[in-house]
Amino acid sequence: MSNLKKPIVTDQAPSAIGPYSQAVVAGSLIFASGQLGVDPKTGEFPDGVEAQAKQSLENVRALLEAAGSGLDRVVKATMFLKDMNDFAAANAVYGTFFVEPYPARSTIEVARLPKDALVEIEVIALVD
């Protein structure tokens, strides 16, 4: 392993379901892999886009905290939605996790997400 990047692993977020890290710290940035709204304790999805968006962001928070960072240090977020008609609902949940100055963000509708999830969120954040 290169000393230029360090993998972050926590049982407070779902484990990787493929050949990737939950998150990686490189320099002063943490790159969190996309987080589905899966409960890390049960492996199950809650019902509905709001509940999945909330769990996804809880998983993101857990990864950031495991790396010594936090949601207040997020500089870029990407939200993937199965259906853009769910944007307002997912956005309302997203808004409860962040305060000004808000991170830059992209939202993309996708044909399908892993495990048929309704939402997936990934972030880039500052870390010490």
Side-chain angles (χ1 to χ4, degrees):
M1 176 179 67
S2 167
N3 62 0
L4 298 177
K5 67 179 184 178
K6 174 183 152 197
I8 301 299
V9 179
T10 178
D11 63 1
Q12 299 302 303
S15 56
I17 58 174
Y20 60 89
S21 297
Q22 286 175 301
V24 173
V25 172
S28 61
L29 295 173
I30 177 172
F31 298 83
S33 292
Q35 294 299 299
L36 303 176
V38 174
D39 183 320
K41 293 175 183 61
T42 67
E44 301 293 323
F45 285 106
D47 291 332
V49 71
E50 293 96 340
Q52 286 190 29
K54 181 179 185 295
Q55 185 62 57
S56 175
L57 287 160
E58 292 291 355
N59 296 340
V60 166
R61 182 193 330 252
L63 289 174
L64 295 175
E65 289 176 356
S69 187
L71 290 171
D72 61 325
R73 307 208 57 208
V74 172
V75 295
K76 175 70 167 85
T78 305
M79 184 164 53
F80 301 94
L81 295 174
K82 181 178 178 184
D83 185 345
M84 194 57 81
N85 290 316
D86 289 333
F87 176 81
N91 192 54
V93 172
Y94 178 95
T96 67
F97 281 78
F98 295 98
V99 296
E100 291 187 46
Y102 298 113
R105 186 183 79 191
S106 302
T107 302
I108 304 158
E109 181 181 65
V110 295
R112 191 169 181 201
L113 289 166
K115 297 186 173 186
D116 291 320
L118 301 176
V119 62
E120 180 175 9
I121 299 171
E122 66 180 28
V123 301
I124 301 169
L126 299 168
V127 67
D128 294 327

